Amino acid sequence: MGRRKLIKAMGAGSAAAALAGCGALLPDDDEDSAETNGDVPDDPIEVGFQITLDGPGFVLTEQQVAAMEIAVDRINDSGGIAGREVEVETLNEGEGAIENHERFVDDEKDVIFGPATSGAVASVAPVADELGTLTIFPDGAAFTLFEDTHTDPELVFRFQNPDITETVVAARAVVEHLGGDNIDSIANVSPDYEFGHTQWEGFSTAVEALGGDVEVVYEGWPDLFADDMSSHVTEVASLEPDVLFTSMWGGDMSLFLRQGNEVGMWDEVGVHATTIGYGGAPDFTQEEVEAADPTVMVGRNYIYNYPPEPMAPAVHELHEELQNWGVSAVYGYTMSTYGAMTWYATAAERAVQLLGRWPEAEELAEIMSNHGFATPSVFCATDPDYFNGRQAFSNLHSGELTWDDENDHAGWTNVREWSPIGNHPPPGVQSMDWLEGW
């Protein structure tokens, strides 16, 4: 089947694939399984996966490691992807993201997942297309990836929403919480790398557009995985901003929360807004959570125990399985790898149904670029008008940080869902041009 015919056939295929993956990762009824029995190799699908496996970042990425293993177990337990089992080799991103990727290519992996951090993703993306192996970034959400760094992706995909969406949602949530007329000063403490800078650029511009005349009183840029935040804590406390924005994650966020509590910084902050702060939540104590109230949280597409169980039982099944796996407290990043694997698996099954054989990488890329699929918590979709269809979109969440007495760890309350529509620029429009035109 030629490329044009394949794209035309995808119109019907995408809707059907959208029904897959709710409870189990893939459908396991006989009718669907029979449809996928085309000319498919017997050998397993070899997956390369690189992610942070140690240090402060592992507070967050532990969930992604667990989610990948659970996703693969579910796939294999349901008969594989079009009958092919999945085998995963995992490497530590910290050992060298490009070197890891090149090793996976040399080992002839069928698909590569990761790395996770925006800086590593930006460095790997052009290399991945040059080397020609299908690559899916579960994270690395900096909006600059497909707008500036790698503008014509072919075999490179990203699962998580571009971070402009979560910074805009954070700005809207803060303005709703305080009222635009009550925001005179804002401060920032974010990690000093690509992601931290795009987060602050998006949030501050959106708040200024929504709230009017706002003064930026402080910009703090600690290193990623810093061992001391005290200078930033002291500065923020002395300046008493109406809004403090942070985009720290993993151990950075828990350290900042703790040191802020030790010197009473949170008493001097009007509202704390964080887009990724839940990434350190497994380490938060009840005292620290209550001290940082009010904290407005924004999450990309997954919150444990949300939606409520009667509406989405698959979320609760996954939450329970993650806890059985050994993850102490489950937060947003579970869905990064689980959802990225779902994208690949459902698209591959659809390709086999359309072609009657296992697809070439370029054919699978075409399916993935115009595809809809369900995860346990949200529906995800791609659109060829956005970044060649190499970017997935899904609903986001906002809520307030609270202490969950039932589960005895930090949690969310007053959760609200937000569509990416209206919180992301139209096709072909750069994020900052869009925001500055508000």
Side-chain angles (χ1 to χ4, degrees):
M1 182 181 289
R3 182 174 181 273
R4 289 179 182 274
K5 291 183 178 178
L6 179 61
I7 293 172
K8 186 176 181 180
M10 285 159 46
S14 295
L19 302 177
C22 290
L25 192 57
L26 292 168
D28 57 1
D29 57 275
D30 292 338
E31 183 178 351
D32 279 334
S33 297
E35 290 178 2
T36 61
N37 288 335
D39 183 11
V40 176
D42 294 332
D43 56 319
I45 298 167
E46 299 289 343
V47 174
F49 176 40
Q50 60 167 322
I51 191 81
T52 300
L53 295 177
D54 53 22
F58 193 60
V59 174
L60 182 153
T61 55
E62 176 191 23
Q63 303 166 37
Q64 295 178 270
V65 175
M68 174 62 84
E69 294 205 14
I70 290 170
V72 170
D73 285 347
R74 288 181 170 188
I75 288 170
N76 290 339
D77 288 346
S78 64
I81 301 173
R84 297 183 69 185
E85 290 200 345
V86 176
E87 294 182 354
V88 179
E89 181 183 8
T90 302
L91 296 179
N92 190 349
E93 175 181 334
E95 299 297 323
I98 291 179
E99 291 79 5
N100 288 342
H101 187 91
E102 290 173 338
R103 179 187 152 184
F104 285 145
V105 173
D106 289 342
D107 291 345
E108 299 183 347
K109 300 297 185 187
D110 295 288
V111 57
I112 299 170
F113 291 82
T117 60
S118 291
V121 164
S123 65
V124 168
V127 175
D129 259 334
E130 182 180 346
L131 295 180
T133 297
L134 192 72
T135 300
I136 306 172
F137 301 125
D139 298 294
F143 64 78
T144 48
L145 176 65
F146 290 146
E147 291 187 9
D148 301 315
T149 306
H150 192 55
T151 57
D152 191 22
E154 296 179 2
L155 294 177
V156 171
F157 295 78
R158 179 169 62 184
F159 172 74
Q160 287 283 11
N161 290 308
D163 66 348
I164 194 67
T165 56
E166 60 192 11
T167 57
V168 168
V169 167
R172 293 189 193 279
V174 164
V175 169
E176 286 187 7
H177 187 92
L178 277 181
D181 293 340
N182 297 317
I183 302 175
D184 296 321
S185 59
I186 57 176
N188 165 65
V189 181
S190 292
D192 190 13
Y193 75 116
E194 181 79 9
F195 174 76
H197 286 271
T198 58
Q199 287 271 300
W200 173 238
E201 188 176 17
F203 178 81
S204 58
T205 305
V207 165
E208 290 171 1
L210 294 168
D213 188 15
V214 174
E215 180 184 4
V216 176
V217 296
Y218 183 67
E219 294 185 30
W221 302 105
D223 292 337
L224 182 65
F225 305 144
D227 56 10
D228 182 21
M229 300 281 182
S230 58
S231 62
H232 303 292
V233 165
T234 301
E235 281 294 319
V236 170
S238 68
L239 294 167
E240 303 180 8
D242 294 322
V243 177
L244 169 62
F245 176 77
T246 68
S247 59
M248 290 176 282
W249 55 278
D252 282 355
M253 192 67 242
S254 55
L255 175 64
F256 188 73
L257 202 73
R258 181 169 67 253
Q259 292 190 329
N261 185 43
E262 289 171 352
V263 301
M265 180 198 73
W266 298 110
D267 292 335
E268 311 303 330
V269 172
V271 169
H272 173 217
T274 176
T275 51
I276 196 173
Y278 55 86
D283 281 351
F284 295 171
T285 68
Q286 182 173 358
E287 179 184 353
E288 291 161 358
V289 167
E290 292 174 350
D293 180 62
T295 288
V296 173
M297 314 260 282
V298 175
R300 291 172 187 167
N301 51 32
Y302 176 78
I303 299 173
Y304 78 100
N305 282 356
Y306 183 85
E309 187 164 9
M311 295 170 60
V315 174
H316 298 261
E317 292 169 6
L318 180 61
H319 183 215
E320 183 175 347
E321 193 166 351
L322 283 158
Q323 289 187 310
N324 292 337
W325 193 89
V327 176
S328 57
V330 181
Y331 295 96
Y333 278 77
T334 295
M335 200 50 58
S336 297
T337 46
Y338 192 97
M341 177 56 81
T342 305
W343 189 4
Y344 173 81
T346 55
E349 289 229 328
R350 180 55 58 191
V352 172
Q353 289 172 343
L354 289 170
L355 299 170
R357 57 173 171 77
W358 190 258
E360 300 294 331
E362 291 78 8
E363 294 170 329
L364 183 51
E366 290 296 337
I367 297 287
M368 291 179 65
S369 70
N370 190 8
H371 188 56
F373 56 100
T375 71
S377 59
V378 291
F379 184 82
C380 304
T382 56
D383 183 333
D385 289 339
Y386 289 88
F387 314 117
N388 297 346
R390 271 58 179 172
Q391 173 66 60
F393 289 94
S394 59
N395 280 0
L396 303 91
H397 302 86
S398 67
E400 296 167 25
L401 180 64
T402 188
W403 189 255
D404 184 333
D405 289 322
E406 180 179 351
N407 290 293
D408 196 31
H409 59 60
W412 297 56
T413 188
N414 297 325
V415 176
R416 174 181 172 185
E417 282 195 67
W418 301 75
S419 168
I421 298 173
N423 293 304
H424 186 275
V429 179
Q430 296 267 312
S431 289
M432 296 314 300
D433 290 343
W434 174 63
L435 275 182
E436 290 166 358
W438 283 17

